[in-house]
Amino acid sequence: MNLERIRACINLHAILRNLEDLGDLDDDARTLLAGHDLRIGMHVPGIEPLTLAVKDGAIRAKRGSEAGSLRLQFASPRHFNGMVGGSSMPLPTGGFKHLGFLKGNFAALAKDLEKYLRPGADDLKDPAFRDKNTRLTASAAMYALSEIANADPVGRQIARAMGEGTAVIEVPGVLAHAIQSKDGRLTTSRYEGQGAQAFMRFDSLDTLGQVLLGELDSYLCIGRGQIAISGRVPMMDNINKLLRMVSFYLA
Amino acid sequence: MNTYQYLNSRVIFERAAKVIPAGIYGHLGPAEGCFIPVEAYPFYAQRAQGAYFWDADGNRFIDYMCAYGPIVLGYNHPAVEAAARAQQEQMNCGVLPGEIMVQLAEKLVSLVDSADWAFFAKNGGDVTNLAVMTARAHTRRNKIIKFAGGYHGVSQWMQFIGNAGIIEEDVSSVITLPFNDAQAVEQAFKRYPGEIAAIIATPYHHPAMADNALPEPGFWPAVRGLCDREGALLIIDDVRAGFRLSLHGSDAYYGFKADLICFCKALGNGYNLSALCGRDAYKEAVSSVFYTGSYWLSAMPMAAALATLTELERIDGPGLMTRQGTKLTQGLAQAAQQHGYHLKITGEPSMWYMRLTDDDTGVLHQQWVSECVRRGVFFTNHHNLFINTAITDEDIAYTLEVAHDAFRALRGAGQKGSI
């Protein structure tokens, strides 16, 4: 098992992808994005590229490569993981006119994201901060779940056992992620409200946040009705197995 | 119909939350037990009698889970309780076993076609695990075949990769094949010549959360023949079905003979006991396995088991449960039809599985089952259900009334868009 590669998949398609959500949630991020129009392509050997399209004060993340991007090439998954961890730099191989954005605004965005994903204890006392922390952590976990299911050998076995269909993890009216299982591969996306077979519903964003932070026991939450599972239970059972693996990889 | 509230259950659960993992862990708990939606279900029982139990709020339920199988004659059956009490007054847990152990083994050997001996333990998983160890001891081979969805307990080898605490090495010697596919079994023997110690299977396929399947004609004779040809043992996990289909073993019921057969659940009508039975050829192998437990030879559950088997024989328990199960399942399916739904019944009538097929998610079925529970009929939505011999025609009639009312509630909720 190539742990560096799996971590790189998660860092690319779950953590950096999260800049999309950060741009939607955070005023500081929107300010950093305002007035810019560019695409940043992240290329890691052996992993599907990620394109971050910056426009109108927002970021949209998309799998795959797009022409005309600021192209960031990494020598290896280890090199890419090093950049995410702050110990190495990418090699720009195209779109050099956007290097200023990369070094300035993009670096600040990444720092902003890190602040929400690795908060200090005091940060979490602020309800507004905690709200964003929960949304961004949930998003990272849901996208990481699919990466693990597609890249980790045990994750692949779990994904194959899931059967085809869509599982939804949501706080109704607040946030909803869909995890689609097809041909033994999982894909995470925002849930649009139709076509799912299994459901995990949290009664509030606060409950979701406490579960993600390890402050609440999810099994007790089920007994208390704070988490409601319904529909195809085996599918959700396998999602739970993958979520346990997410904790390991994101720790 | 009135629907139940569970205030005391919730108060107790909050106390439990402080001192017991998950509040209630395992299959009796709200998570593993698939209490969906959770507010429809009681959490704690206060007492039980015959076909019923009463929860911590005093609500009465007809128990179609029969404690997940053990209650076969109804709760507190007088003959079983009298035998258990009499044995308790003599001795229960001691430094030597009682003669009752021999009497019970003699009874099993006389009743069960494939039993030349009996080895006692406590839970079903104790004896499925022992069966596999015995097969490995006898054959000196590693690999085990099981069928996808089959449940054989919670030992590591019986679990699945990705389950908490399970590592790949735990399950690497287990080959999983589709039930009713003798060709797949033959191919596995070809792929692993001389490596397969045993096949372990339930007599018919009764996985949770999936339609149950009876053995197709020719399946068991083919598997039996392959085991004989390849020198592998055929282990029948009769923990769930044992004594609900036949007192002679479910292998006998389906017309074949196991090498080793595992019993638990119905054996003691709620007293904790399991038994591995087998043919003479494997008696030395099972003796050679290092396997024991502090309470395994306790006498009281053995007295209860002897009384249970005697009573089941006297009243033809399996026949009675099959008749009652047939009446009930036909009534439930008709009730569904009258309300415009399709309730699919699979498995054997004495321990049937059911699901509404009108949506592909299971949500509708979960909702209907929960409406039955709120009205005093304890079904689960994910598992096969069970009949016991205390369930009367009146109980079945009441259950059907509840089923109709639950369908009406379902229709009403659907019209309001809340499903």
Side-chain angles (χ1 to χ4, degrees):
Chain A
M1 181 168 67
N2 187 337
L3 270 177
E4 283 290 353
R5 183 178 176 279
I6 300 166
R7 287 192 197 283
C9 289
I10 293 168
N11 281 332
L12 189 62
H13 291 296
I15 304 297
L16 283 185
R17 194 225 67 84
N18 226 348
L19 288 169
E20 175 175 310
D21 297 317
L22 180 73
D24 293 345
L25 287 171
D26 188 59
D27 290 340
D28 292 343
R30 267 196 295 275
T31 304
L32 288 165
L33 295 167
H36 293 278
D37 184 355
L38 75 157
R39 287 185 296 280
I40 304 168
M42 305 265 185
H43 295 259
V44 183
I47 298 173
E48 189 178 12
L50 176 77
T51 299
L52 298 170
V54 179
K55 197 174 182 183
D56 301 331
I59 291 188
R60 290 291 164 258
K62 202 173 164 188
R63 296 182 87 100
S65 172
E66 288 191 9
S69 305
L70 165 60
R71 184 184 168 100
L72 301 182
Q73 183 67 50
F74 297 86
S76 65
R78 182 186 291 272
H79 179 208
F80 173 69
N81 292 336
M83 184 208 72
V84 174
S87 63
S88 62
M89 293 296 289
L91 307 170
T93 59
F96 296 109
K97 66 179 178 178
H98 299 301
L99 278 178
F101 178 84
L102 182 70
K103 287 182 178 169
N105 298 29
F106 189 80
L109 282 167
K111 204 168 176 185
D112 204 17
L113 181 62
E114 189 184 7
K115 176 184 75 180
Y116 285 114
L117 293 181
R118 295 195 184 280
D122 285 344
D123 295 330
L124 293 168
K125 289 176 186 163
D126 171 7
F129 182 97
R130 199 176 169 100
D131 181 293
K132 289 177 200 168
N133 160 266
T134 300
R135 290 169 189 266
L136 291 168
T137 306
S139 181
M142 296 310 136
Y143 281 86
L145 182 152
S146 285
E147 296 307 312
I148 292 164
N150 298 333
D152 180 281
V154 171
R156 281 200 293 265
Q157 289 186 59
I158 296 169
R160 278 199 296 272
M162 262 181 77
E164 302 218 329
T166 299
V168 171
I169 299 177
E170 66 176 339
V171 181
V174 179
L175 63 82
H177 293 284
I179 295 145
Q180 188 190 27
S181 169
K182 196 171 181 208
D183 300 328
R185 287 183 65 79
L186 301 194
T187 312
T188 302
S189 61
R190 290 181 184 180
Y191 180 54
E192 303 298 341
Q194 279 188 329
Q197 286 78 36
F199 306 88
M200 182 189 289
R201 294 189 173 111
F202 290 79
D203 67 344
S204 69
L205 194 65
D206 189 45
T207 298
L208 173 60
Q210 289 188 66
V211 169
L212 290 170
L213 289 166
E215 295 171 355
L216 268 182
D217 175 338
S218 57
Y219 289 91
L220 284 176
C221 287
I222 290 173
R224 288 170 173 151
Q226 293 167 289
I227 300 175
I229 288 172
S230 63
R232 285 190 200 161
V233 174
M235 182 173 264
M236 208 42 95
D237 187 37
N238 283 304
I239 293 278
N240 275 333
K241 290 177 187 177
L242 291 165
L243 280 172
R244 278 197 295 271
M245 296 178 75
V246 168
S247 312
F248 164 75
Y249 277 107
L250 293 187
Chain B
M1 269 184 183
N2 289 335
T3 54
Y4 291 165
Q5 304 290 319
Y6 309 113
L7 300 176
N8 285 338
S9 267
R10 268 48 184 184
V11 170
I12 299 168
F13 186 75
E14 284 309 314
R15 283 169 49 207
K18 295 176 187 154
V19 290
I20 296 172
I24 310 168
Y25 51 82
H27 63 295
L28 301 188
E32 298 286 335
C34 292
F35 291 180
I36 302 170
V38 73
E39 58 269 21
Y41 288 80
F43 286 176
Y44 295 93
Q46 198 174 59
R47 66 190 176 92
Q49 184 63 44
Y52 317 117
F53 76 86
W54 285 261
D55 73 2
D57 290 87
N59 300 309
R60 191 198 81 163
F61 296 84
I62 302 176
D63 183 5
Y64 286 108
M65 287 310 290
C66 300
Y68 274 78
I71 302 304
V72 68
L73 292 168
Y75 289 98
N76 291 326
H77 187 276
V80 177
E81 296 308 311
R85 261 197 314 275
Q87 182 61 52
Q88 167 77 333
E89 283 167 15
Q90 297 290 317
M91 182 193 75
N92 181 28
C93 182
V95 71
L96 298 174
E99 185 186 348
I100 188 72
M101 179 177 175
V102 183
Q103 290 173 289
L104 179 60
E106 286 168 345
K107 183 72 178 176
L108 283 166
V109 166
S110 75
L111 272 180
V112 176
D113 281 10
S114 52
D116 293 324
W117 48 263
F119 183 115
F120 299 105
K122 281 292 152 211
N123 286 297
D126 295 337
V127 289
T128 52
N129 196 45
L130 174 62
V132 164
M133 291 175 78
T134 301
R136 285 174 168 158
H138 180 80
T139 61
R140 298 179 186 274
R141 299 173 182 176
N142 291 349
K143 293 193 187 300
I144 302 294
I145 291 176
K146 71 177 179 72
F147 295 104
Y151 174 78
H152 304 295
V154 292
S155 292
Q156 285 97 323
W157 68 266
M158 304 168 190
Q159 296 209 28
F160 304 97
I161 196 68
N163 283 11
I166 299 301
I167 58 173
E168 282 182 279
E169 288 81 353
D170 290 330
V171 294
S172 59
S173 292
V174 179
I175 302 161
T176 304
L177 303 175
F179 188 78
N180 265 335
D181 190 344
Q183 210 171 16
V185 175
E186 183 161 22
Q187 283 165 358
F189 276 117
K190 274 187 192 155
R191 190 171 172 195
Y192 302 104
E195 292 186 64
I196 296 170
I199 297 175
I200 184 165
T202 53
Y204 77 92
H205 200 44
H206 48 64
M209 304 185 209
D211 292 343
N212 290 188
L214 302 184
E216 286 175 6
F219 174 67
W220 281 126
V223 170
R224 177 70 270 177
L226 286 165
C227 286
D228 291 341
R229 191 182 79 191
E230 302 291 337
L233 275 68
L234 179 54
I235 301 166
I236 288 302
D237 175 348
D238 216 7
V239 167
R240 218 184 286 178
F243 310 119
R244 274 194 165 82
L245 309 186
S246 164
L247 296 180
H248 308 299
S250 299
D251 53 345
Y253 182 79
Y254 289 118
F256 69 101
K257 205 162 177 180
D259 294 311
L260 301 171
I261 187 163
C262 311
F263 296 109
C264 181
K265 295 198 184 285
L267 181 57
N269 199 48
Y271 283 87
N272 50 341
L273 190 68
S274 60
L276 177 68
C277 295
R279 300 210 219 176
D280 260 335
Y282 312 110
K283 203 170 170 186
E284 191 175 331
V286 74
S287 303
S288 72
V289 175
F290 177 60
Y291 211 61
T292 189
S294 297
Y295 297 95
W296 287 10
L297 306 192
S298 295
M300 190 167 75
M302 293 183 183
L306 186 59
T308 300
L309 292 173
T310 303
E311 184 65 6
L312 283 171
E313 201 175 11
R314 187 184 73 78
I315 62 172
D316 179 21
L320 175 57
M321 286 185 278
T322 298
R323 286 193 299 280
Q324 294 298 75
T326 302
K327 267 187 234 169
L328 176 65
T329 52
Q330 286 176 350
L332 290 171
Q334 282 165 8
Q337 197 176 15
Q338 283 174 32
H339 293 272
Y341 297 104
H342 178 245
L343 186 69
K344 186 177 183 184
I345 309 282
T346 53
E348 293 284 357
S350 56
M351 42 180 284
W352 80 104
Y353 180 80
M354 62 181 175
R355 74 179 169 94
L356 287 168
T357 61
D358 304 273
D359 78 336
D360 73 339
T361 67
V363 169
L364 193 70
H365 184 65
Q366 289 157 356
Q367 198 71 34
W368 175 68
V369 165
S370 77
E371 294 295 344
C372 291
V373 172
R374 288 180 210 263
R375 289 160 175 78
V377 169
F378 197 87
F379 290 147
T380 58
N381 56 59
H382 67 298
H383 195 280
N384 73 270
L385 298 116
F386 295 93
I387 293 286
N388 68 63
T389 63
I391 290 169
T392 62
D393 287 349
E394 289 72 33
D395 294 325
I396 291 174
Y398 181 74
T399 302
L400 296 179
E401 272 180 49
V402 165
H404 277 286
D405 205 49
F407 279 124
R408 280 190 285 273
L410 199 62
R411 187 61 75 196
Q415 281 163 358
K416 285 181 206 153
S418 56
I419 292 176

